[in-house]
Amino acid sequence: MNATHSHPFYAMHEHGFVRVATSTPHVRTADVAFNRDAILAEARRAHEAHVDLLVYPELCLSSYAIDDLHLQQAMIEAVEAAIGEIVKASAQLTPVLLIGAALRKNGRLYNCALAIAHGKLLGAVPKSYLPNYREFYEKRWFASGKDIRGQSIRVNGHDVPFGTDLVFASEVLPGFRFFAEICEDFWAATPPSSLGALAGATILCNLSASNIVIGKSDERHMLCRSQSARATAAYVYCAAGHGESTTDLAWDGQGVIYELGDLLAESERFSLNPELCIADVDCDRILNDRMRLPTFNDSGEVAGRPDETFRTVPFRHAPAGGDIGLTRPVSRFPFVPDRAERLDADCYEAFNIQVDGLMRRIESTGAKSMVIGVSGGLDSTHALIVAARACDRLGLPRTFIRGYTMPGFGTSEGTKSNAWKLMKALGITADEIDIIPASTRMLEDIGHAFADGEPVYDVTFENVQAGLRTDYLFRLASQNSGFVIGTGDLSELALGWCTYGVGDQMSHYAVNSGVPKTLIQYLIRWCATTGDFDKPTAKILLAILSTEISPELVPAGADGAIQSTEAKIGPYELNDFFLHHVMRFGQKPSKVAFLAWHAWRDTGAGTWPAGFPDERKNAYDLATIRSWLEKFLGRFFAFSQFKRSAIPNGPKVSSGGALSPRGDWRAPSDASAAVWLSELEARLP
C-alpha cells in the first residue's frame, strides 16, 4: 500500500474495481486436515494481497479424485468439521472465500460451492450438471442440484441458504455481486451462470476439478471468454492442480480471469507450488455495458426475470482502502490491436474495413474518379493508400484517383515533397494547386488584417485556407465526374479539430471517420513494414510517420518552429485514450484519469503495441493527464457535437465505437460539459 497516495482517488475500490483471485492450493488426496490448512494458507496470502474474492477448485477440502471415498461417513463428517474451522478463521481475513466441498441433505450428497465471509457461511450452491461419461462418474456419488431453489441446508448446526438461485452481494462495494457454478455446469448448453448474470451477478465463478488432456486448456479459455462476453460479466475459473490423485488422470491447476471477453490474468499451469492468479475486475464497466445492451435485459425478460426470483445473500467484508495499485492490464492504445500473435490479422481487418466501404461507394455512385487532397500528413496519406487498395481490388487503374496537393501559407517543403513522392510512388493522377493567391484575395475581400501586412494568424486566417481547399476539391470532383474522399479521422471529430461545412469536415465519403489517429499511425506503419506496398512507397510512408502533426495553416516562426496540433489540443495518444473510455463505456472523468495515470505514468510498466518505436514511448504524470482531460471534456461535450451531427458517411472500424449521429453516438449540439468537469474537479487530488 502506497502511503504517499492517501487521497481516495488512488484507491481502486473507489472506482468500481473488485480484486478477485483463483487459488490452486497444495492438496493431498483425501487428507481433509492437510487440505484445510492449505486452503487457509492461501487465504492468508490473498489477504496480504488485498484480494476481495478468492475462488478455489472443486471439492478442494477432500480433493476431487477420491471416487467412492466421497461416500464414506468419516470423510463427510471430516469435511463438515473442516468447514466450520475455515469459517471461524475467515473472521480475520479480508477475502470472501469460495471453496468446494460435499454436503449431505435428506440422504443425498451434493457437490457444492460454499461462500464464506468474515466468520460466516453465507450459503451453498450445488452442482447442477453431473458428468457421467468417459472418465467421469459423478452420478455414482452425488445428486444433481439443478432444481434446488429456495431451500436451506444445515451445516455445523446452522441453516444457510442452499440452491442454484443464490447471488452473493457485498454491502460495502455496490457492484460486487457474484454467482457460483461448478465445473461441468459451464460445459452445459445452458450454463447456470447465464441466469446468475441475468439475476444481477457481475462476477461468475467456476470451481472446477477438470483433469487435463491435450487441448483442454484452449477449450477452457474459449468457454470462459465466450461466457464472460455473452453474459456481460467477469468469469473466474479455477481448476485442480498437483496433489490430486493421478491414478488415472492428471491435473494442471489452471486459473483464468476474463472480463467482457478480455483475458485479465492466467496462472502458471503444472506448478508444484500454490498459485494465486489475481486481477482487478471492473464491475462498473460491466454494469455500464449492460445498460447499453438492451439484448441483455430482453434476455432477462425471456428467462422470467431471474433478478426478481433469485435470492440475494448480502455480506459484509473489509476491503482494503488507500492505494493498493491496480492489478489488471490497461492498454495505452485501446483502439490499437495489441495481440502480438494476431497483429497481422487485426491490422488486415481494420484496413480492409475501410477498403471495402470505399469500394462499395465507388460501385454505387458509378463515379469516374476519386478526388483527394494530399497534404503529406498522416490522415491524407492513410486515406490515399486505402483508395489505392480499393482501386486494386476493383481492377481499376490507380490513375482513377486524382490527388491534389494544395500548398498554403504554412505548408512546409518537407510535407509538400512527401505528398508528391507518395502520389508518384502510388501511380495516381497528381497535380498541384497553389491556394495562396486565392486565399490572399479572399482575405483582402473580407478586410482581414493579414491582407494589410499584419501577422494576424487567427481562426479566420486558417479557415480561409481550409475552406478553399475543400471548395477546390468539390469543384474538381464535379469537373471529373467523381467524388471527394474525406481524410479527417475519428480523433479530430471527437475534438472538433476540423473546419465545419466548407472545410475538411465535409466530403462525399469520409473513409477515415471511424479510425482514430493512433490507429492510423499504426496502420500506416503496418502497411509500410509488412510488404503490403512496394519498397519506395514504404520508405515514404515511414518518413511521413516521423513528421510532426500539424495543420500547417500558419507560417513557421522566426525560429523555424511549425504550428503543432498536439501542443494546442493535447497528445493524440491521451485524447484517444480518453475518447475510448468515455464513448465506449461511459466512464466517469475521474475514473478515466485513474486509468490513464496507471497506463501512462511509467514507460517501463505494462506492454506496448508490437513494434512500437522506443523513441515514441511517452509518460505522463497526473497533472498533465488532468490538464488535457479537462480540455478534452470541454471540446467533446460542449463544443464539437454540431460538427459531428452533420458528418458525411463513413465506415465504423473499431468496436470502441464511431461518432456518426446515425450510429454509435447521438448527442445534442448545445450541451454543457459542466457535469463532467465538476466530477473531475471533485474527485481528483
Side-chain angles (χ1 to χ4, degrees):
M1 189 177 297
N2 191 332
T4 62
H5 295 150
S6 59
H7 192 280
F9 168 81
Y10 296 103
M12 66 96 170
H13 286 118
E14 294 290 325
H15 298 283
F17 292 100
V18 172
R19 182 158 295 175
V20 304
T22 66
S23 170
T24 308
H26 280 306
V27 61
R28 184 180 292 169
T29 305
D31 190 336
V32 175
F34 179 93
N35 296 337
R36 173 203 62 205
D37 293 344
I39 288 168
L40 287 173
E42 287 302 282
R44 294 184 185 101
R45 199 154 68 100
H47 173 86
E48 294 299 319
H50 310 297
V51 169
D52 298 304
L53 174 63
L54 184 58
V55 181
Y56 290 90
E58 177 182 12
L59 294 170
C60 57
L61 253 180
S62 60
S63 71
Y64 174 83
I66 60 174
D67 298 335
D68 289 352
L69 302 187
H70 283 300
L71 296 175
Q72 289 289 307
Q73 189 167 349
M75 174 64 67
I76 294 169
E77 291 180 358
V79 165
E80 186 167 348
I83 291 169
E85 292 165 336
I86 293 173
V87 170
K88 182 178 179 181
S90 73
Q92 307 303 317
L93 300 172
T94 296
V96 179
L97 309 179
L98 199 51
I99 68 171
L103 295 177
R104 56 189 168 177
K105 179 177 181 177
N106 295 336
R108 299 181 182 91
L109 190 66
Y110 295 94
N111 180 347
C112 295
L114 279 64
I116 299 168
H118 217 54
K120 182 179 179 181
L121 176 58
L122 303 176
V125 179
K127 188 171 184 176
S128 292
Y129 296 96
L130 302 176
N132 220 65
Y133 53 86
R134 302 178 72 184
E135 67 262 47
F136 303 110
Y137 296 93
E138 287 191 28
K139 289 185 179 180
R140 179 180 176 96
W141 313 300
F142 302 115
S144 169
K146 60 183 173 60
D147 295 322
I148 297 178
R149 294 179 177 83
Q151 294 189 28
S152 63
I153 192 168
R154 196 161 187 82
V155 183
N156 292 314
H158 299 281
D159 290 327
V160 299
F162 179 57
T164 58
D165 59 342
L166 303 180
V167 172
F168 301 93
S170 170
E171 295 181 328
V172 182
L173 303 175
F176 180 14
R177 300 168 63 90
F178 69 90
F179 177 88
E181 62 186 4
I182 302 172
C183 199
E184 186 76 7
D185 288 347
F186 94 140
W187 264 277
T190 54
S193 58
S194 295
L195 289 178
L198 294 172
T202 53
I203 302 172
L204 311 177
C205 307
N206 189 305
L207 296 76
S208 184
S210 189
N211 63 296
I212 187 63
V213 294
I214 296 171
K216 196 170 187 179
S217 172
D218 290 340
E219 185 179 6
R220 294 171 187 153
H221 272 291
M222 179 268 293
L223 290 169
C224 292
R225 182 183 183 195
S226 173
Q227 189 65 350
S228 72
R230 189 187 306 276
T232 317
Y235 202 91
V236 184
Y237 176 89
C238 186
H242 181 78
E244 281 282 356
S245 173
T246 56
T247 300
D248 291 299
L249 306 171
W251 317 85
D252 67 335
Q254 185 172 28
V256 293
I257 302 171
Y258 276 86
E259 176 186 303
L260 301 181
D262 298 328
L263 177 63
L264 299 185
E266 180 177 11
S267 70
E268 178 187 344
R269 297 168 60 214
F270 300 105
S271 174
L272 294 180
N273 298 314
E275 281 284 311
L276 275 183
C277 172
I278 303 174
D280 294 337
V281 167
D282 190 345
C283 292
D284 278 359
R285 184 171 88 124
I286 291 167
L287 292 170
N288 285 345
D289 215 30
R290 288 179 178 178
M291 287 192 293
R292 284 166 171 72
L293 295 171
T295 303
F296 181 86
N297 295 309
D298 289 346
S299 298
E301 296 287 343
V302 171
R305 297 192 64 87
D307 57 323
E308 295 180 356
T309 59
F310 273 47
R311 290 176 287 170
T312 298
V313 181
F315 64 88
R316 296 194 65 81
H317 67 129
D323 179 9
I324 59 172
L326 184 66
T327 307
R328 66 182 275 128
V330 182
S331 175
R332 292 177 172 89
F333 300 94
F335 287 106
V336 173
D338 60 359
R339 301 179 296 173
E341 74 282 2
R342 293 276 302 162
L343 178 62
D344 281 345
D346 288 346
C347 288
Y348 170 86
E349 192 170 55
F351 185 69
N352 280 283
I353 288 170
Q354 294 180 269
V355 170
D356 190 76
L358 185 57
M359 286 168 55
R360 180 69 188 108
R361 188 51 54 105
I362 294 170
E363 292 173 333
S364 66
T365 60
K368 300 295 188 288
S369 70
M370 288 185 287
V371 175
I372 183 171
V374 183
S375 67
L378 291 172
D379 291 347
S380 65
T381 293
H382 187 63
L384 181 54
I385 60 178
V386 167
R389 182 60 75 238
C391 287
D392 296 345
R393 290 191 57 195
L394 288 172
L396 296 169
R398 290 184 180 178
T399 52
F400 185 84
I401 305 167
R402 305 185 69 88
Y404 297 88
T405 183
M406 293 177 278
F409 297 111
T411 302
S412 68
E413 187 57 38
T415 54
K416 178 181 170 182
S417 173
N418 282 339
W420 268 109
K421 289 177 182 177
L422 183 62
M423 290 190 291
K424 288 180 179 179
L426 290 172
I428 71 170
T429 303
D431 205 346
E432 180 176 320
I433 299 174
D434 184 355
I435 66 166
I436 291 178
S439 298
T440 301
R441 175 61 186 270
M442 181 174 285
L443 291 167
E444 290 172 350
D445 289 345
I446 66 175
H448 192 274
F450 179 81
D452 296 327
E454 297 181 36
V456 178
Y457 308 129
D458 56 8
V459 173
T460 302
F461 176 82
E462 296 182 0
N463 285 351
V464 162
Q465 297 170 78
L468 278 170
R469 285 179 175 134
T470 302
D471 203 357
Y472 274 119
L473 293 174
F474 271 88
R475 299 327 132 219
L476 288 163
S478 296
Q479 187 178 30
N480 293 282
S481 301
F483 64 89
V484 177
I485 301 173
T487 61
D489 62 50
L490 182 67
S491 307
E492 293 176 341
L493 287 170
L495 296 162
W497 192 247
C498 52
T499 301
Y500 181 75
V502 185
D504 54 322
Q505 178 260 355
M506 188 50 61
S507 65
H508 287 115
Y509 194 70
V511 74
N512 285 343
S513 61
V515 189
K517 189 79 74 179
T518 49
L519 181 53
I520 281 179
Q521 292 171 317
Y522 205 77
L523 289 175
I524 292 174
R525 184 175 291 110
W526 175 77
C527 288
T529 56
T530 57
D532 208 44
F533 289 89
D534 60 31
K535 289 183 178 179
T537 303
K539 183 177 179 181
I540 299 163
L541 293 177
L542 292 173
I544 290 170
L545 276 174
S546 65
T547 304
E548 170 78 36
I549 299 173
S550 171
E552 293 195 330
L553 296 170
V554 173
D559 59 355
I562 65 168
Q563 183 182 18
S564 171
T565 296
E566 291 182 299
K568 178 76 172 179
I569 60 174
Y572 276 114
E573 55 195 13
L574 282 184
N575 282 317
D576 284 357
F577 186 95
F578 302 154
L579 174 63
H580 182 273
H581 290 280
V582 168
M583 174 176 66
R584 174 62 182 87
F585 294 106
Q587 304 279 33
K588 293 182 293 188
S590 61
K591 184 169 184 176
V592 175
F594 177 78
L595 291 169
W597 180 65
H598 277 282
W600 287 99
R601 60 180 172 161
D602 181 1
T603 58
T607 59
W608 293 85
F612 196 88
D614 288 340
E615 66 274 10
R616 297 182 69 89
K617 293 179 179 178
N618 298 313
Y620 302 99
D621 59 20
L622 183 58
T624 302
I625 291 168
R626 175 179 186 158
S627 173
W628 290 122
L629 180 54
E630 287 175 345
K631 292 178 175 62
F632 171 85
L633 295 171
R635 295 187 72 96
F636 183 75
F637 287 107
F639 166 67
S640 56
Q641 182 58 40
F642 78 98
K643 298 182 180 183
R644 296 191 290 269
S645 293
I647 62 173
N649 298 165
K652 177 180 176 178
V653 174
S654 168
S655 62
L659 289 171
S660 169
R662 301 170 294 277
D664 289 54
W665 186 259
R666 304 182 187 198
S669 297
D670 50 3
S672 166
V675 167
W676 293 269
L677 291 170
S678 297
E679 196 276 341
L680 185 67
E681 174 68 25
R683 298 289 301 277
L684 261 65

